[in-house]
Amino acid sequence: MTITCHLRYIVDPYQLPAFEAYGKAWIRLVERFGGKHHGYFMPSEGTSNVALAMFSFPSFAEYEVYREASFKDAECLAVVAENEKHRFIVSYERSFFRPVFEDDQGVKRAP
């Protein structure tokens, strides 16, 4: 069963370009580890300090493999270090959902 991770970030509104670069890096990294990233959603109109992200893996077990691998991956660690240095993420919440897609927009499984 596909699992989707939903992240809700509280970000420093004065550092949105840094957070956007962070998001672009994680889109590529999640895809490299076998997930399907659905994008980062930056503040636009209204609230200036809330951003969202969603990505899916074919199963929670595969998500856990990604998490373990990301804690050891040099590029992932470098992206995390950028936030630790500049503190553009104030806080975040992580939730998991079971997505429903009309077609195959989710993570494709091997035949």
Side-chain angles (χ1 to χ4, degrees):
M1 173 176 54
T2 300
I3 190 81
T4 297
C5 181
H6 172 269
L7 292 152
R8 181 179 187 272
Y9 295 93
I10 303 300
V11 296
D12 180 342
Y14 299 103
Q15 296 192 66
L16 292 179
F19 179 75
E20 188 168 340
Y22 172 92
K24 287 178 179 180
W26 276 112
I27 289 169
R28 185 177 41 75
L29 289 167
V30 164
E31 300 261 340
R32 189 179 83 193
F33 282 100
K36 170 66 179 161
H37 212 294
H38 307 295
Y40 274 77
F41 301 86
M42 301 294 293
S44 180
E45 298 298 318
T47 304
S48 65
N49 68 337
V50 175
L52 305 172
M54 292 188 349
F55 58 91
S56 298
F57 277 88
S59 68
F60 193 75
E62 290 183 53
Y63 167 80
E64 287 294 323
V65 169
Y66 146 75
R67 288 278 293 169
E68 282 288 317
S70 71
F71 291 136
K72 300 171 187 163
D73 181 82
E75 192 173 0
C76 293
L77 294 172
V79 173
V80 170
E82 277 299 300
N83 178 59
E84 290 173 355
K85 180 178 178 184
H86 299 288
R87 301 285 186 199
F88 43 82
I89 298 172
V90 176
S91 66
Y92 68 94
E93 301 168 359
R94 182 183 300 127
S95 302
F96 296 92
F97 297 90
R98 179 184 57 83
V100 176
F101 295 110
E102 182 180 27
D103 54 22
D104 66 352
Q105 295 175 23
V107 175
K108 293 185 180 181
R109 296 176 191 255

